[in-house]
Each structure stands twice: as structure tokens, then as C-alpha cells.
Amino acid sequence: MADQTDDGTKTLDSSNSGESPGVVFPPESPEEGIPHSSATHFNNDLKSVLVTSVLNLEALDVDLYRGTHHWVPRTQRLFGGQIVGQALVAAAKSVSDHHYAHSLHCYFVRAGDPKVPVLYQVERTRDGRSFCVRSVKAIQHGQPILICQASFHMLQESPLQHQFTMPVVPQPEDLLTVEELIHQYLSKPDLAETARQGLNKLLANEVPIEIKPVNPPHFYRHTATQPKQLFWVRARGHIGEGNMKLHCCVAAYVSDYAFLGTALLPYPNYRAKFSASLDHAMWFHSTFRTDEWMLYECESPWAGGSRGLVQGRLWRRDGVLAVSCSQEGVLRVRPATQPSKL
Ligand SMILES: CCCCCC/C=C\CCCCCCCC(=O)SCCNC(=O)CCNC(=O)[C@H](O)C(C)(C)COP(=O)(O)OP(=O)(O)OC[C@H]1O[C@@H](n2cnc3c(N)ncnc32)[C@H](O)[C@@H]1OP(=O)(O)O
């Protein structure tokens, strides 16, 4: 896994010069240039590794970028959120400071190979007065691994405005992180050795995201639940306010983690022998900060035919609906009693 340490905050324009009267976008961040070190990137006072490395694409030519990897899941295929986040970075570089991402639609067509970087080729599909559309192809070994369409919109005032209400849940300060929950399990003297090994592997997951489940999962005591879960989530490290394009790219990264698992919650008697996101769509509704806690409300309205559909809403802490997400994934399972071939 390659790790860049350049300051990625300058890679996406953060101008707010496209403001409409009455629409308050946060001002330019004064925190540019905060020092960081790749060795200590999990310290929350330091710049998020998502900004310094993962989303800091290298420009190779006009509308052509190269992205490197930070965290790779145990499946040894690239994390879908990383590819979507990087594709959105590439697309965002080709639109004006006045255009903000409002939606994206992606297909994961091939597994990403963690041994080589990913190239992002941007096609400027359309530039209109209000909307700009971009198509991005993520390429490895000469073949697309992801195709993504992203649309950008200038801020426009409207009297039409509504949203659902955020669920009432405990505040993040009153909940434990996934790591703290795992440590609680590991301290149980009667924990089976296989469970201990599995939990230690989860702990070793250096994913640059922090999660606080509202209803702590029973990592090794499987009980069927509704296909719904709520957790607080934020990027590790400091990102700062003012750069909405960058926060949308980080949200794309964050939104794919632990999302598809929602569809497996009613099936404790089955284990995934192969699961991967097939497509991913997002709609950005409002300003938000991904380095502050956001509530991810996930549900799966349907599963069948070895696939599962998940839908999610990312809420700002103050109850503003920030992002909506949808995804379908392939879910090939085996009975829990049958040993894994992995
Ligand atoms: C509360 C919070 C708790 C937090 C804890 C969370 C902990 C960890 C979370 C980690 C989560 C990270 C993961 C997030 C999701 C992702 O990132 S997924 C990655 C992104 N998506 C992808 O990479 C998908 C890319 N697309 C593809 O790979 C392909 O489109 C496809 C494989 C889906 C296409 O499928 P298919 O057409 O079937 O491909 P083939 O090449 O033909 O076959 C591939 C393998 O599947 C086997 N197969 C095919 N058909 C079947 C079938 N009918 N039944 C069973 N198996 C089948 C085929 O044999 C191949 O297998 P092998 O590779 O040969 O073993």
C-alpha cells in the first residue's frame, strides 16, 4: 500500500465564491498547512490520511489522474469507497469553483487490484449553465474497474424545501467505538480462540474511519435482527470546514464501509462467502463535515437472487439530512455450520 504525505487539501478547489444570497457555505478553512505525519495519522488533531493520501490524486495529464491505496480490505480487492471517492475527486477537478457535487452513480465492474495504482480518466460530458456532468472511468491493467457519472450544480435558491426527521438516538459521546467494543469482548476470559482471532483481525483494520454503533453488534453471538442499523461515523483526523467538494469525496469513501452488511443482519445462520458492492449512488443535499460525527441510518428493503439492496441516510448532528445513498451488492452465502473455504 502506497502512502503519500503531500498536503491534499489544495488538490480540490475550496472557493465559496459561487454562493447564492441566503445560502451559507462555510468560509475557507484557516487550517491549511497543519503539519502531519503518516506515522501518526490516527491522531485526531492531525490531518486526515484521507486528505493527505487517499484523495490526493496525482495529475498525469489533462483529466487523467493516478490514485494510490491506503487501506485494503481482507478480501484483497480494493475498497469500493476508495474508488468512488477518488473518482469523485477526479471529476470535481474539472468543474468550476461554483459547481458542487449533487449526485453520483457508479458501477463496480471488476475487482480492484491492490498491487497497482488506479488511473482515473475524466470525460467532460456536458457543461451547462447550472449543471455539469462528468463521466469517470477508473482503470487498471487497461480495463475499467469502475464507471462513474457525477453531476455538479450551482447553488440555487428555492421555496421548495423539506426533509425527513433524523431518528432520535444516543449522542456519540455516550457510545463506544467499534475498537472499544472489541476490546470489551477480548477481555472476556471465556471467549473462544477463533472468535479472539477474528476480533484481533478486525482490530488490525487500519481503516481511516471511526464508527460508534447505536446498537452494538454482537460480533460473535449471532442473532437475527431487522435489516436496519444506525451508527455514528466520521473520518479520522482533521479535515476542516470550507471545502465542500472534498467533504463529498470523503463521504463517498465513508458511505461504502459497513453499508452492505445491513442486508445480512436477518441471516445469522449464513456467512458471506462472497460479497461485494455492485453499484453505488449518492445524492448530496446540504453542507456537512465528514470529520465531525454524522449519523448513518442504513436499511435494506430487499434481498434476493444472491443480491441485496441497501439504502442509507447520512445525518448531520444538528438533524440536517446531508447525504442519501443506495447500493446493490452481490451476496453469495454459505450456511454458518459449513466450514469456510477462504
Ligand atoms: C456496525 C459497524 C461494524 C463495522 C464492522 C465492519 C467490518 C468490516 C467492513 C469491511 C467492509 C469493506 C468492504 C466494502 C465493500 C467493498 O468495498 S466491495 C469492493 C467493490 N466492489 C467490487 O470489487 C465488485 C467489482 N465487480 C466484480 O468483481 C464483478 O462485477 C463481479 C465479480 C461481481 C461479477 O460477478 P460474475 O459475473 O459472477 O464474475 P465472474 O468473474 O464470472 O465470477 C467471479 C467469481 O464468482 C463465482 N461465481 C460466478 N457466478 C456464480 C454463481 N452463480 N454462484 C456462485 N459463484 C459464482 C465465480 O466462480 C468466480 O469465483 P472465483 O473467483 O473463481 O473463486
Side-chain angles (χ1 to χ4, degrees):
M1 286 182 286
D3 225 10
Q4 280 174 233
T5 52
D6 297 341
D7 187 339
T9 53
K10 292 188 179 66
T11 59
L12 282 182
D13 293 331
S14 56
S15 161
N16 57 355
S17 51
E19 277 181 25
S20 300
V23 180
V24 182
F25 262 81
E28 176 69 17
S29 163
E31 296 91 351
E32 295 285 301
I34 282 182
H36 65 268
S37 133
S38 58
T40 51
H41 59 254
F42 286 110
N43 182 326
N44 276 341
D45 296 333
L46 298 175
K47 274 272 191 240
S48 169
V49 71
L50 288 170
V51 176
T52 59
S53 168
V54 182
L55 301 174
N56 189 8
L57 300 187
E58 179 190 356
L60 299 179
D61 204 334
V62 178
D63 294 340
L64 185 65
Y65 300 91
R66 176 161 47 203
T68 51
H69 325 309
H70 174 72
W71 168 74
V72 177
R74 271 194 283 159
T75 53
Q76 286 306 305
R77 55 171 60 221
L78 288 181
F79 173 43
Q82 174 186 287
I83 314 171
V84 179
Q86 292 182 340
L88 188 58
V89 170
K93 283 171 183 283
S94 70
V95 302
S96 83
D97 294 348
H98 315 287
H99 286 89
Y100 294 90
H102 73 91
S103 70
L104 61 81
H105 299 258
C106 301
Y107 279 101
F108 299 96
V109 293
R110 283 184 184 83
D113 177 359
K115 292 189 285 304
V116 295
V118 183
L119 296 182
Y120 293 89
Q121 195 170 48
V122 181
E123 178 205 276
R124 302 185 185 217
T125 311
R126 179 178 180 268
D127 281 321
R129 207 156 64 86
S130 307
F131 289 92
C132 293
V133 180
R134 297 291 180 259
S135 299
V136 185
K137 232 183 244 173
I139 301 165
Q140 284 187 314
H141 305 295
Q143 293 189 302
I145 59 166
L146 171 107
I147 45 179
C148 174
Q149 253 98 49
S151 183
F152 298 81
H153 191 202
M154 282 176 69
L155 299 177
Q156 269 175 359
E157 284 290 272
S158 169
L160 309 183
Q161 208 170 326
H162 72 266
Q163 64 156 67
F164 284 180
T165 304
M166 182 167 102
V168 179
V169 296
Q171 293 302 299
E173 288 72 21
D174 301 326
L175 295 168
L176 298 178
T177 62
V178 166
E179 290 77 16
E180 287 164 340
L181 289 164
I182 291 176
H183 279 297
Q184 272 191 353
Y185 272 86
L186 287 172
S187 67
K188 293 184 179 175
D190 56 342
L191 187 70
E193 190 46 37
T194 47
R196 188 172 299 280
Q197 284 170 9
L199 289 171
N200 276 318
K201 278 186 194 159
L202 254 186
L203 263 190
N205 234 352
E206 283 212 337
V207 64
I209 303 173
E210 275 183 285
I211 289 182
K212 291 193 171 193
V214 168
N215 296 303
H218 291 288
F219 290 110
Y220 276 90
R221 185 158 45 86
H222 300 281
T223 43
T225 62
Q226 289 290 307
K228 290 180 187 212
Q229 57 176 338
L230 287 154
F231 51 89
W232 292 98
V233 62
R234 70 178 176 191
R236 289 187 197 271
H238 177 82
I239 297 175
E241 61 180 352
N243 191 339
M244 257 328 288
K245 279 188 182 138
L246 182 58
H247 281 292
C248 290
C249 299
V250 176
Y253 186 101
V254 165
S255 64
D256 190 31
Y257 189 78
F259 194 21
L260 188 56
T262 315
L264 290 169
L265 292 175
Y267 310 103
N269 297 328
Y270 290 90
R271 302 283 178 273
K273 66 176 180 195
F274 179 70
S275 79
S277 14
L278 291 171
D279 61 15
H280 193 77
M282 300 181 77
W283 294 266
F284 303 100
H285 310 305
S286 139
T287 58
F288 57 89
R289 277 185 65 163
T290 40
D291 55 350
E292 292 182 345
W293 289 114
M294 297 177 83
L295 182 69
Y296 203 4
E297 181 188 11
C298 305
E299 58 188 9
S300 172
W302 175 87
S306 292
R307 301 191 311 279
L309 178 69
V310 284
Q311 295 170 338
R313 287 189 270 275
L314 275 165
W315 296 92
R316 254 171 35 185
R317 227 183 142 149
D318 61 1
V320 170
L321 180 58
V323 187
S324 299
C325 311
S326 278
Q327 179 177 107
E328 200 180 29
V330 55
L331 297 170
R332 291 175 185 149
V333 295
R334 62 176 169 83
T337 47
Q338 195 177 303
S340 166
K341 288 184 188 145
L342 293 176

